[in-house]
Amino acid sequence: NKKYLYFCGIGNPEEFENTLKKYKFTISRKFIFPDHYNYKNEDLDKIKKIAFKNKLEIITTEKDFKRLSKNNKKNIKYLKEKLKIQNFKKFSNFLKERL
């Protein structure tokens, strides 16, 4: 029943949004920043103000969350994802061929 505002500064923000939709997050607002963006206090103040005004939860990527200051992390959740390699031997060989 919750509605979310998400923000991210990653290379492929569409994938993050698709993941949120896959897990049934209701997205009401989004803020897309350039990859590796250095968030300013003003950016996060604006995001939090809009979320509060519209009664939205705030979510971001784990990567972006870890880059925030302790003070800015307040009232922001992040989506934790794990990478699982199905065929590690094939993946390892792929990497060895390119080195």
Side-chain angles (χ1 to χ4, degrees), residues 11-45:
N12 193 349
E14 298 82 18
E15 284 301 314
F16 180 56
E17 183 170 338
N18 291 339
T19 300
L20 292 172
K21 288 178 179 178
K22 176 181 173 183
Y23 291 105
K24 310 289 189 235
F25 283 78
T26 301
I27 302 163
S28 295
R29 295 289 301 262
K30 61 184 172 183
F31 290 86
I32 309 291
F33 295 90
D35 196 15
H36 303 287
Y37 183 75
N38 289 319
Y39 297 101
K40 300 173 190 73
N41 288 334
E42 298 83 37
D43 300 324
L44 295 161
D45 289 344

Side-chain angles (χ1 to χ4, degrees), residues 83-95:
L83 174 65
K84 182 177 180 184
I85 300 171
Q86 297 282 350
N87 186 334
F88 188 78
K89 185 173 182 175
K90 184 176 178 181
F91 178 70
S92 180
N93 288 338
F94 172 81
L95 292 177

